[in-house]
Amino acid sequence: FHLGELPDASWRAVSSALATAEKASGHLFHPTAVKRMKESAQSEAMALAEVEAAKSKDGKDDFKAKDSRQRKKQLDAIYERLYIRKLREKRTAAASKWATEVSDASSRVWNL
């Protein structure tokens, strides 16, 4: 078939697949989605950092001897490490979801 000869049902399938792919891209690249992803990673990292710092407090006597500046510095270092890890995980999950939705849409068009 020439593109001008495709039946309307095929064009509807192509339009539906394109809409699905655009919706998936909109969800991934929308500024609000990126902001939510960062905020979620920050809150999860802070909770995990506090738990890890509490574990280190219980396990080591020298942690109690440290002054508040050193404890804060250690907590910040733990938080940064965990934040980067959590953000990477969130990005990976979002990119995987996007890739799955786009590949499904392109597969539907390919199988016409």
Side-chain angles (χ1 to χ4, degrees), residues 22-98:
E22 286 177 346
K23 183 178 177 183
S25 295
H27 285 254
L28 178 66
F29 299 116
H30 195 273
T32 305
V34 173
K35 183 179 177 183
R36 273 189 310 228
M37 188 184 321
K38 284 183 176 182
E39 289 172 352
S40 175
Q42 286 172 343
S43 65
E44 289 178 22
M46 184 54 74
L48 288 173
E50 290 171 356
V51 168
E52 192 171 319
K55 277 196 291 188
S56 113
K57 229 189 276 188
D58 295 338
K60 297 179 183 175
D61 292 332
D62 65 334
F63 190 82
K64 293 177 185 174
K66 292 181 182 178
D67 66 353
S68 64
R69 273 188 325 201
Q70 289 173 327
R71 284 193 300 266
K72 173 85 169 119
K73 190 174 181 180
Q74 183 181 17
L75 183 64
D76 287 345
I78 293 170
Y79 166 75
E80 285 299 320
R81 177 176 47 85
L82 292 172
Y83 172 68
I84 290 170
R85 183 185 308 154
K86 284 294 178 183
L87 190 58
R88 187 178 302 127
E89 289 172 4
K90 300 276 183 195
R91 287 178 181 163
T92 302
S96 176
K97 182 179 176 186
W98 173 82

Side-chain angles (χ1 to χ4, degrees), residues 1-19:
F1 286 108
H2 183 272
L3 287 178
E5 299 172 350
L6 284 175
D8 286 340
S10 297
W11 281 115
R12 281 193 296 272
V14 169
S15 296
S16 172
L18 179 61

